[in-house]
Amino acid sequence: MRIALSGFMAALSLVMSMSCMAARDFSDAEIKAENVAGDVYVLTGPGGNIGVLATDAGLLLVDDKFAPLAEKIEAAMKTLNKAELKYIINTHYHGDHTGSNGYFGKQAPIFAHENVRTRVKEDNKQADADLPVVTYEQGITIHLHNEEVKIVHFPHGHTDGDSIVYFKNTNVLHMGDLFFQGRFPYIDLDHGGSVKGYLANVKKVTESYPSDVVIIPGHGDITDLKGLQQVVAMLEYSIERVSSALAAGKSSEQILKDGIGEKYKDWSWGFINEERWLKTLIKDLG
């Protein structure tokens, strides 16, 4: 009962943290644009990283942060190219990646995995323009100007609706929250996420794309396959550490007391610190 209650309280704390982020004052927030390669850019600021394909034939947006940032996102996007917005992609349903759907969804169709539409509607309590209007089960390809944008669903990792977006001709990959660069990931166990599934998905990505691919993580700095392989190593280490402790009969309290070990202590961050990461592992592996 104690472990179950602990898991519930951790989940509740995460939900409250996300709600507080959505309700915060964004008046002083900045959205900055950075070229990744070719016509592909990243927009950074509060919330998840946004990918933008900016061509003379139109713009494509990957994720759209929090609702109060919509006009700032649009302004930053238009500095790259003033062409009209043609397509929007949601990598998953969380509000820091879909919050501005209602604003941009009035301008262009939103593409997402079928579970994203369900969760935006049922879990985020949104409707109308906020909802993806083109959904898929495995993936879909969008052709815009001279770019081939390949969207692929990866099951039961961060959530049950994750997609990654590959700009094939530019060799840039946006991974959404299947990649938190240099920090512990948030794995939404209550909405289809899985620690071992997350690891399997990340490992598959490392084996499926060119060695020189440039990667935009859902959170963190632009990186490459070496950066992603560091995540694989951390996940394998964490799973082995907690699984061994549980097999040895250690209590959740003792596992939390022992901690993650020195090697990955600096992967803690504001949303998922060491304690929350260990609680996620205990809940899913126990």
Side-chain angles (χ1 to χ4, degrees):
M1 178 64 74
R2 181 181 294 180
I3 293 176
L5 180 59
S6 175
F8 170 77
M9 292 305 294
L12 180 61
S13 178
L14 287 172
V15 171
M16 291 177 65
S17 296
M18 293 178 74
S19 298
C20 288
M21 278 294 291
R24 63 175 276 196
D25 180 9
F26 289 104
S27 58
D28 294 329
E30 291 186 60
I31 303 297
K32 297 181 179 179
E34 178 182 353
N35 182 246
V36 181
D39 291 328
V40 179
Y41 297 79
V42 62
L43 302 183
T44 58
N49 289 333
I50 294 175
V52 180
L53 175 62
T55 78
D56 292 339
L59 304 175
L60 179 148
L61 194 65
V62 182
D63 291 338
D64 52 37
K65 295 185 181 287
F66 298 106
L69 295 171
E71 292 184 358
K72 292 185 177 185
I73 294 167
E74 184 173 49
M77 190 171 62
K78 291 298 184 179
T79 65
L80 307 176
N81 195 304
K82 296 189 183 300
E84 67 177 317
L85 180 63
K86 287 291 188 72
Y87 308 105
I88 304 149
I89 302 166
N90 288 161
T91 61
H92 62 288
Y93 86 95
H94 288 148
D96 61 323
H97 295 258
T98 63
S100 294
N101 275 8
Y103 184 88
F104 292 111
K106 296 173 183 176
Q107 303 177 36
I110 302 172
F111 291 67
H113 185 263
E114 55 194 24
N115 290 343
V116 175
R117 178 180 169 88
T118 299
R119 295 208 180 280
V120 170
K121 183 177 181 180
E122 297 179 0
D123 295 273
N124 295 356
K125 307 301 181 186
Q126 301 298 329
D128 303 324
D130 281 277
L131 301 178
V133 295
V134 181
T135 62
Y136 49 83
E137 183 177 355
Q138 300 298 329
I140 196 168
T141 299
I142 298 174
H143 297 269
L144 178 59
H145 197 47
N146 60 355
E147 186 58 82
E148 186 176 342
V149 185
K150 301 187 75 66
I151 309 166
V152 181
H153 169 58
F154 280 74
H156 300 293
H158 174 61
T159 67
D160 60 5
D162 304 323
S163 294
I164 63 174
V165 182
Y166 183 49
F167 300 94
K168 183 178 179 180
N169 297 334
T170 312
N171 195 29
V172 173
L173 180 65
H174 191 306
M175 287 188 62
D177 281 2
L178 278 174
F179 190 5
F180 288 74
Q181 188 268 330
R183 60 189 77 179
F184 296 132
Y186 169 41
I187 299 178
D188 191 345
L189 301 180
D190 294 327
H191 296 94
S194 161
V195 171
K196 290 185 176 180
Y198 196 105
L199 171 60
N201 290 341
V202 175
K203 289 181 73 172
K204 185 174 181 180
V205 171
T206 66
E207 300 163 356
S208 303
Y209 292 88
S211 60
D212 59 346
V213 67
V214 181
I215 304 178
I216 303 172
H219 297 265
D221 298 329
I222 296 169
T223 185
D224 52 22
L225 279 184
K226 289 183 179 178
L228 189 60
Q229 286 162 350
Q230 291 174 356
V231 175
V232 171
M234 183 279 295
L235 290 166
E236 290 178 334
Y237 168 88
S238 297
I239 290 170
E240 171 60 26
R241 183 179 180 90
V242 173
S243 294
S244 296
L246 291 169
K250 288 190 177 183
S251 67
S252 58
E253 291 81 0
Q254 185 60 53
I255 294 172
L256 293 174
K257 183 178 179 181
D258 292 343
I260 197 66
E262 291 299 323
K263 186 174 183 179
Y264 293 109
K265 277 189 174 294
D266 63 353
W267 284 52
S268 287
W269 57 293
F271 193 46
I272 304 295
N273 58 20
E274 179 181 353
E275 180 181 356
R276 282 179 170 172
W277 175 231
L278 286 169
K279 286 181 176 179
T280 297
L281 292 162
I282 292 166
K283 180 179 179 181
D284 201 32
L285 301 173

